[in-house]
């Protein structure tokens, strides 16, 4: 009697798991589990890989990523720190640890990691962008604008960088600069409703009610379920 394919596959997986004798074997199985979004099982495999070879950087990296997926950010930071001890010149690990630190609101720690990543690669656009966001959280608006400037210099078609810089210009009462940046973000990504909403708010402050209503109209056209745009447009229609 033929053996059903399901049981053949299960037997294959079990046999290969039992054969896994090296650290890299367990990393590979951890990757399979992570691809299936079974992060707890993946973490178990990576743990076994590390037990077999405490210097297996890939096992720490992948376990850190898996821990991040289940919001164990402290565990992810621990793993990335272990990797840095093994490979201190890898910019991506500092970046990944910065993201984990950001998730626990350790913005100062994240800044240190972004600084190191940029030191290793002065053209690391993503690190400038993320560092700008953390400086913004710490109310270092001038420093954040500098980072967004650098991001835009390196990746001039990143719409969200213009949007974020515009938010800061708005806070610093540079309304013309803010509108220019929102307009550039929209030029790059005409579906970026956030930029239309934000530009509408600045135009509202400048008493350009017609322009603001046009922006809210665009938001509603792109996303008819955007309640904020309806509310803001309603307020302006009451004034007109």
């Amino acid at each position: 009697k033929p053996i059903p394919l399901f049981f053949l596959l299960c037997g294959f997986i079990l046999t290969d798991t039992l054969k896994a004798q090296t650290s890299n074997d367990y990393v590979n199985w951890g990757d399979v589990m992570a691809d299936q979004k079974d992060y707890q099982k993946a973490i178990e495999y990576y743990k076994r890989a590390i037990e077999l070879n405490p210097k297996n950087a890939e096992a720490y990296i992948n376990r850190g990523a898996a821990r991040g997926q289940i919001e164990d950010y402290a565990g992810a930071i621990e793993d990335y720190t272990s990797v840095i001890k093994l490979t201190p010149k890898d910019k991506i690990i500092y970046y990944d640890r910065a993201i984990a630190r950001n998730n626990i609101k350790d913005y100062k720690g994240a800044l240190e990691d972004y600084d190191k990543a940029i030191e290793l690669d002065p053209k690391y656009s993503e690190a400038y962008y993320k560092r700008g966001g953390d400086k913004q959280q710490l109310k270092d608006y001038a420093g954040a604008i500098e980072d967004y400037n650098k991001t835009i210099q390196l990746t001039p078609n990143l719409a969200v960088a213009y949007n974020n810089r515009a938010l800061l210009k708005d806070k610093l009462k540079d309304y013309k600069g803010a509108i220019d940046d929102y307009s550039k973000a929209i030029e790059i990504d005409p579906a970026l409703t956030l930029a239309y909403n934000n530009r509408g708010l600045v135009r509202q402050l400048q008493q350009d009610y017609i322009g603001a209503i046009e922006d809210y109209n665009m938001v509603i056209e792109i996303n008819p379920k955007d309640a904020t745009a309806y509310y803001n447009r309603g307020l302006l229609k009451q004034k007109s």
Side-chain angles (χ1 to χ4, degrees):
K1 182 180 178 180
I3 300 172
L5 180 60
F6 172 77
F7 292 108
L8 284 172
L9 289 172
C10 288
F12 174 77
I13 292 171
L14 178 60
T15 301
D16 266 24
T17 305
L18 291 173
K19 284 181 180 177
Q21 296 175 350
T22 70
S23 179
N24 286 337
D25 288 332
Y26 283 102
V27 170
N28 290 337
W29 279 107
D31 292 346
V32 170
M33 293 297 103
D35 286 343
Q36 296 176 6
K37 301 191 186 307
D38 187 349
Y39 298 114
Q40 291 290 1
K41 191 66 177 177
I43 289 167
E44 290 176 21
Y45 280 123
Y46 297 136
K47 178 184 177 184
R48 182 63 179 143
I50 291 164
E51 288 171 350
L52 289 172
N53 179 8
K55 293 186 178 181
N56 190 333
E58 187 178 3
Y60 287 107
I61 293 169
N62 294 2
R63 188 173 70 175
R67 284 175 160 175
Q69 289 291 339
I70 61 171
E71 300 184 1
D72 176 13
Y73 300 121
I77 290 166
E78 180 183 323
D79 279 337
Y80 294 137
T81 300
S82 296
V83 179
I84 287 168
K85 290 176 182 176
L86 295 170
T87 57
K89 299 296 184 182
D90 188 339
K91 67 177 184 180
I92 294 173
I93 304 306
Y94 289 99
Y95 179 88
D96 288 343
R97 189 172 69 174
I99 297 293
R101 285 177 161 172
N102 181 279
N103 282 319
I104 61 171
K105 301 191 186 318
D106 177 13
Y107 300 121
K108 290 183 179 178
L111 285 178
E112 291 174 4
D113 280 340
Y114 291 131
D115 289 346
K116 185 63 178 178
I118 289 167
E119 178 187 321
L120 291 168
D121 180 3
K123 294 185 178 180
Y124 197 176
S125 176
E126 295 94 332
Y128 285 107
Y129 177 74
K130 290 291 188 179
R131 190 175 69 175
D134 281 357
K135 286 181 177 179
Q136 191 169 343
Q137 290 290 340
L138 294 170
K139 301 190 186 309
D140 176 9
Y141 300 137
I145 286 174
E146 286 180 10
D147 278 339
Y148 291 135
N149 289 344
K150 189 66 177 179
T151 303
I152 289 165
Q153 178 187 333
L154 294 168
T155 51
N157 290 322
L158 187 62
V160 288
Y162 288 96
N163 180 80
N164 290 4
R165 188 173 69 176
L167 285 169
L168 295 171
K169 288 181 177 180
D170 183 5
K171 283 183 179 292
L172 296 173
K173 301 189 186 307
D174 176 10
Y175 300 123
K176 181 183 182 304
I179 288 173
D180 288 345
D181 273 350
Y182 288 132
S183 298
K184 183 64 178 179
I186 290 164
E187 177 188 324
I188 295 167
D189 183 359
L192 189 62
T193 57
L194 188 64
Y196 287 106
N197 256 325
N198 290 338
R199 189 175 67 179
L201 289 170
V202 177
R203 284 176 163 174
Q204 197 169 330
L205 281 173
Q206 296 293 97
Q207 297 185 343
D208 176 9
Y209 300 136
I210 294 174
I213 287 173
E214 288 175 357
D215 279 335
Y216 299 138
N217 287 343
M218 282 301 302
V219 175
I220 292 164
E221 181 179 324
I222 296 166
N223 179 14
K225 294 182 179 180
D226 192 310
T228 301
Y230 285 105
Y231 177 78
N232 289 339
R233 187 177 69 176
L235 289 177
L236 289 178
K237 284 184 174 180
Q238 286 179 347
K239 291 184 178 182
S240 58

